[in-house]
Amino acid sequence: VNFIAGASICFRHTQIDNISTNAAPPFSAALQELVYNPAGPWGSIQRTMGLYANVDWQITDTLQLQVGGRENYDDDGNYGYFNILLPSPPEPHTTVIADINNGTVTDSVPTGKVDLNWTPIPGQLIYAFVARGYKAKAIGIASSNVAEAEHDTDIELGWKGGALNGHLQTDVGGFYRKYQDMQEATLVSADPQYGNSALVNLAGVSTIDGLEASTQG
């Protein structure tokens, strides 16, 4: 039996302190919007941590079981505020829209993989596994709009074999995946006048399945 355990942590600070110009609906050159921050920078902070462990059990000389798991922690947030001017100066009758860049998300999601490997003879591997992954919750830029986490479940069965003293390598595998809650930026339920998009989770489940085969000589 072999095992490994550990932890990881990632911190990222993304600061935005520039002035940018974007086209506003109906996206003509005559109508421009100017985005700027009047009182300091705005941006986002991302904190990601994981605790993980993996155990490999050599059941027999030809059969191996691998089990791995990870607990994922996410703590993300936006800060600051900025102004949007429509149209951009020096146009008359400029409208100033104060946009607060706030919103936070916290999440804790377990992921993992169970893998069974069989090598009936040297150089031939037959394997099967089930894996579960995810993508953390997301916050819309300059809003408190939050999209829920994505989840992905993958089941695979395959064979990897060598022949001709290693000169020929062949891989054959089948897979079945279920992808849930894909995050997407959309104008639905967003500000129709200024075109600010919102993050949403797509309804329904995407199913991806098929066969893959390759040979290298």
Side-chain angles (χ1 to χ4, degrees), residues 8-22:
S8 65
I9 187 168
C10 175
F11 175 85
R12 187 177 74 175
H13 176 205
T14 304
Q15 180 174 299
I16 305 171
D17 55 6
N18 67 316
I19 296 175
S20 60
T21 303
N22 303 287

Side-chain angles (χ1 to χ4, degrees), residues 53-65:
N54 190 86
V55 178
D56 298 341
W57 177 24
Q58 197 68 41
I59 303 172
T60 68
D61 290 341
T62 61
L63 190 63
Q64 182 191 56
L65 176 66

Side-chain angles (χ1 to χ4, degrees), residues 133-136 148-152 179-183 201:
Y134 98 112
K135 178 182 177 182
E148 294 299 315
E150 299 179 355
H151 296 89
D152 185 17
Y179 206 107
Q180 300 168 278
D181 302 318
M182 177 176 286
Q183 298 169 4
N201 294 99

Side-chain angles (χ1 to χ4, degrees), residues 67-105:
V67 179
R70 175 184 170 103
E71 185 67 24
N72 305 275
Y73 302 94
D74 293 281
D75 185 3
D76 305 329
N78 296 336
Y79 66 91
Y81 72 97
F82 58 89
N83 285 344
I84 300 176
L85 273 59
L86 275 168
S88 297
E91 297 288 341
H93 310 298
T94 298
T95 302
V96 179
I97 305 161
D99 208 332
I100 300 175
N101 187 49
N102 60 10
T104 60
V105 294

Side-chain angles (χ1 to χ4, degrees), residues 141-161:
I141 296 297
S143 73
S144 57
N145 161 236
V146 174
E148 294 299 315
E150 299 179 355
H151 296 89
D152 185 17
T153 302
D154 182 20
I155 303 173
E156 296 194 21
L157 174 66
W159 164 64
K160 298 178 182 290

